[in-house]
Amino acid sequence: MTTIYDTPKANLENEQAPAFSLFKLNGIVIATFVGSAVAGGILMYINFKRLGLPDKANKSLLYSIIGFVLLMIASIFIPYADKIPNIAFTVAQVVALLHFSKEHLGPLIDSHAATGGELASNWKAFGIGLLVLLPVVAFVFLLAFSTI
């Protein structure tokens, strides 16, 4: 017989929750804004890898790097590129990666969260964006000084 003073016998742990965290779409946007398409591609790579999709992971990273390099090279050959605000190139990268990640990662992230999966902090995404920014700035300087 149980009394009102007995502890409840409920299972409070969610045993079906995945043991890994995924970056949110907002985190991918933040990393892309701070550290270019390369940073957003790295976060997409991490998400796809954790979801067990290595082919999509490799393609997302490769395409983001290629897209970034092509954008930097194209910015050299655009007439009057010095008159275009730099934010235009950043916004182009953010919009492209947001569209891709919404289409390919959005449903996967939603289902991960719905099953009790953990979502990574946007601050972590910001930090990864900052870490990626250092080699990106070095690459841009190298590209700029090689065309002089």
Side-chain angles (χ1 to χ4, degrees), residues 80-103:
Y80 304 107
D82 56 335
K83 305 284 187 232
I84 300 173
N86 291 335
I87 193 73
F89 297 108
T90 303
V91 168
Q93 294 176 68
V94 168
V95 168
L97 260 72
L98 178 61
H99 175 72
F100 181 83
S101 59
K102 252 187 190 178
E103 188 175 320

Side-chain angles (χ1 to χ4, degrees), residues 17-30:
F20 55 87
S21 63
L22 294 178
F23 289 98
K24 298 176 264 189
L25 295 178
N26 292 340
I28 294 172
V29 167
I30 290 168

Side-chain angles (χ1 to χ4, degrees), residues 7 13 22 39 73 92 97 123 128-129 131 137 142:
T7 58
E13 294 182 20
L22 294 178
I73 292 172
L97 260 72
W123 284 106
I128 291 172
L131 287 174
V137 168
L142 178 69

Side-chain angles (χ1 to χ4, degrees), residues 25 28-29 32 37 40-45 47-48 53 55-64 92-109:
L25 295 178
I28 294 172
V29 167
T32 304
I42 289 172
L43 293 188
M44 289 191 311
Y45 174 84
N47 279 354
F48 279 129
L53 302 167
D55 291 339
K56 285 188 176 187
N58 294 334
K59 285 180 183 177
S60 65
L61 183 60
L62 179 67
Y63 292 157
S64 65
Q93 294 176 68
V94 168
V95 168
L97 260 72
L98 178 61
H99 175 72
F100 181 83
S101 59
K102 252 187 190 178
E103 188 175 320
H104 296 281
L105 267 176
L108 299 173
I109 293 171

